[in-house]
Amino acid sequence: MEIRKLQKIVVSALEDIKGKDIAVINTAKLSSMFDRIVVATGDSNRQVKALARNVHEKVREAGGEVLSVEG
């Protein structure tokens, strides 16, 4: 999947669940492991779990693969 498309899907999924302080950090020149890091905050543990679950579902629906979820 093209990185810009994936980034839009992830940010949109976070916005759907009212994620806050969404930041996309371009790490392509810093690490060969990944091109982007997306960071967001939530108001509670329950909301943060819902954010992660929604991103996972939306990426899979778009045909992407989620290798790992951290936190």
Side-chain angles (χ1 to χ4, degrees):
M1 180 180 298
E2 204 268 327
I3 191 71
R4 293 176 206 263
K5 180 180 178 185
L6 180 59
Q7 179 180 322
K8 286 181 183 181
I9 291 167
V10 170
V11 171
S12 176
L14 292 169
E15 290 173 342
D16 287 349
I17 309 292
K18 308 294 186 218
K20 295 183 179 181
D21 305 322
I22 300 169
V24 178
I25 304 166
N26 185 345
T27 60
K29 294 181 181 179
L30 301 174
S31 173
S32 61
M33 291 183 67
F34 38 82
D35 292 330
R36 303 280 194 283
I37 296 174
V38 181
V39 180
T41 61
D43 291 327
S44 66
N45 286 340
R46 187 176 184 180
Q47 183 187 18
V48 171
K49 288 178 184 178
L51 288 167
R53 186 173 43 253
N54 196 44
V55 168
H56 187 265
E57 290 172 1
K58 297 295 183 180
V59 169
R60 292 199 69 184
E61 286 174 8
E65 182 181 4
V66 177
L67 299 176
S68 176
V69 177
E70 193 65 36

